[in-house]
Amino acid sequence: MASLLLCIVLCSYYSIAYGGGGDQSFVTVPTSSFEPERVCSGERVMSEQNNSAVSLPLVHRHGPCAPSISPDKPSFADTLRISRARINHITSGVPRSMGSHGDEKASIPAHLGTSVKSLEYVVTVSFGTPAVPKVVVIDTGSDLSWLQCKPCRPGECSQQKDPLFDPSHSSTYGSVDCGSAPCKKLTADAYANGCANGKQCGFLISYADGTSTDGVYSKDKLTLAPGVVVNNFYFGCGHDKRAVQGLYDGLLGLGRLSESLASQYGGAVSYCLPAVSSKPGFLALGAGKSPSGFQFTPMGRVPGQPTFATVTLAGITVGGKKLNLRPSAFQGGMIVDSGTVITGLQSTAYQALRSAFRSAMAAYPMVPNDHLETCYNLAGHKNVVVPKIALTFSGGATINLDVPNGILVNGCLAFADSGLDGTTGVLGNVNQRTFEVLFDTSSSKVGFRANAC
């Protein structure tokens, strides 16, 4: 009887709203597909770009594919709280109506990051000679990469599974001199922290949650894969990492400034985040111009925060029906961020999406949630009918979000209100799942390739 009632409700909705086209605009998925498996599943996946120089496996740091299980896995509520804090911090210094293009400056320090606890995806690379493997989180919201290094006095560095990186054991390691051009650039980008021992260039990254890491700006050989190295890779060798727990060995910055891995390696950078944490994705570096299989949209920038890349939405479709939204609803642009979980949409666009999605999911009971407004109790359902959501960007690039894991997270719609129209939103990592997202800074465009992992 319950199944019959469910069919009546959904079929009526399809017929009235979409003239019977629901079979192409809705997807029936088993509820088991919402949850990751307990063991790592699926073969290693790679970028299909023939001209990509290197592709590394990328995994969720709290999933079974991770090199080791992180002891500090946050609750769903904590994950949402941290993600919201990251959105608030990223967008706090962006002038209204200037999120995509423009020359207005924002008065916030460039070195101030967000909570590193929000970062979820890791890769394994090697530092030094001989090469020492290190598991590091990736972040499109950071430029300067860093490791936790020896020497570090007790209580001044966080616990990690692997030994601290020891520069004295690497024959290719060197500290950066204070008067050098790289140190001057570090100062210009607001990551510098004076001189250590009178001659070594110091670095400091302070995060919005009160954590920080500082030490010596350094260079060494970075090995991405066998035979693929970056000689004289610049990074921070941290000797004081306060209250940053459970982050493996360090961080790889994928931002747009010269300190980032993407800039130092050359070429475009891309990644594919898996649908669930029990499957692998990849990080690819060095792609040439115009790789095949992508839809491209112009890349904008955030005034006063040059680390970030933005895109501009042009339309949203829910269950086959395009929402009636004016271009002004998307004027602020969207930061493409690997570290934010939930997508933050400007108010008018968010409210229209929320209303359409709730109508399409009317057959399922809603439940309250302290952090998200549209959550469902799907217990007792073997299968769930979910409306497709498509995001169209300027230039016509359209992505159909993965169903269900690019739309729902823990039974909740993975969108939130980011603020007034004209402010900047954030494209979160749930919506990015299974797409290869490519940042081609030299051509000022962002690409999306569907079903990449």
Side-chain angles (χ1 to χ4, degrees), residues 288-369:
K289 293 183 179 295
S290 302
S292 62
F294 285 84
Q295 296 187 68
F296 287 99
T297 185
M299 177 191 292
R301 63 181 181 83
V302 180
Q305 297 197 61
T307 295
F308 297 106
T310 65
V311 293
T312 301
L313 274 172
I316 301 174
T317 301
V318 179
K321 183 177 181 181
K322 186 175 181 180
L323 303 183
N324 184 20
L325 293 166
R326 297 179 178 180
S328 59
F330 309 116
Q331 185 177 357
M334 304 279 288
I335 292 170
V336 184
D337 186 35
S338 65
T340 298
V341 178
I342 303 300
T343 290
L345 274 181
Q346 296 88 345
S347 292
T348 297
Y350 168 71
Q351 291 171 15
L353 170 65
R354 178 188 63 187
S355 177
F357 190 81
R358 286 181 175 181
S359 295
M361 294 283 288
Y364 305 100
M366 291 184 61
V367 293
N369 183 283

Side-chain angles (χ1 to χ4, degrees), residues 39-307:
V39 297
C40 186
S41 62
E43 297 180 359
R44 175 178 173 177
V45 290
M46 307 290 286
S47 169
E48 291 183 0
Q49 302 164 20
N50 294 328
N51 52 358
S52 175
V54 62
S55 187
L56 295 75
L58 175 151
V59 298
H60 196 288
R61 72 186 184 102
H62 295 303
C65 295
S68 61
I69 302 300
S70 177
D72 67 333
K73 182 177 180 180
S75 65
F76 180 56
D78 284 342
T79 297
L80 295 181
R81 178 182 54 78
I82 294 169
S83 181
R84 168 54 72 176
R86 183 176 174 98
I87 290 179
N88 291 344
H89 181 76
I90 287 174
T91 60
S92 63
V94 182
R96 186 175 178 183
S97 299
M98 295 293 290
S100 287
H101 306 275
D103 298 322
E104 184 175 335
K105 298 291 185 180
S107 57
I108 66 168
H111 73 277
L112 243 159
T114 56
S115 171
V116 289
K117 294 179 181 178
S118 66
L119 304 178
E120 296 191 305
Y121 295 93
V122 299
V123 295
T124 300
V125 295
S126 297
F127 283 78
T129 304
V132 179
K134 293 295 176 184
V135 182
V136 290
V137 293
I138 66 161
D139 185 19
T140 56
S142 297
D143 298 295
L144 181 61
S145 301
W146 53 264
L147 288 178
Q148 192 166 236
C149 298
K150 287 184 176 181
C152 194
R153 291 188 295 273
E156 291 191 354
C157 282
S158 305
Q159 292 183 352
Q160 61 181 51
K161 179 179 180 292
D162 298 324
L164 301 182
F165 179 68
D166 191 342
S168 68
H169 290 175
S170 174
S171 63
T172 48
Y173 172 85
S175 60
V176 176
D177 292 336
C178 273
S180 65
C183 189
K184 292 178 180 178
K185 186 65 172 67
L186 193 74
T187 301
D189 291 337
Y191 288 111
N193 189 33
C195 291
N197 302 321
K199 63 177 183 178
Q200 294 176 325
C201 184
F203 83 95
L204 169 66
I205 303 177
S206 299
Y207 295 96
D209 61 357
T211 60
S212 65
T213 181
D214 67 85
V216 177
Y217 194 36
S218 308
K219 58 183 178 179
D220 206 340
K221 179 184 289 186
L222 173 67
T223 301
L224 299 171
V228 182
V229 302
V230 181
N231 292 308
N232 294 322
F233 176 71
Y234 290 90
F235 67 102
C237 212
H239 301 292
D240 185 356
K241 189 166 71 117
R242 300 178 182 176
V244 182
Q245 301 287 346
L247 275 186
Y248 293 97
D249 305 329
L251 177 146
L252 275 186
L254 302 180
R256 299 180 64 181
L257 295 181
S258 62
E259 293 85 2
S260 74
L261 171 60
S263 296
Q264 293 190 56
Y265 187 83
V269 60
S270 66
Y271 56 75
C272 186
L273 308 180
V276 290
S277 63
S278 57
K279 294 184 178 181
F282 61 80
L283 170 68
L285 294 156
K289 293 183 179 295
S290 302
S292 62
F294 285 84
Q295 296 187 68
F296 287 99
T297 185
M299 177 191 292
R301 63 181 181 83
V302 180
Q305 297 197 61
T307 295

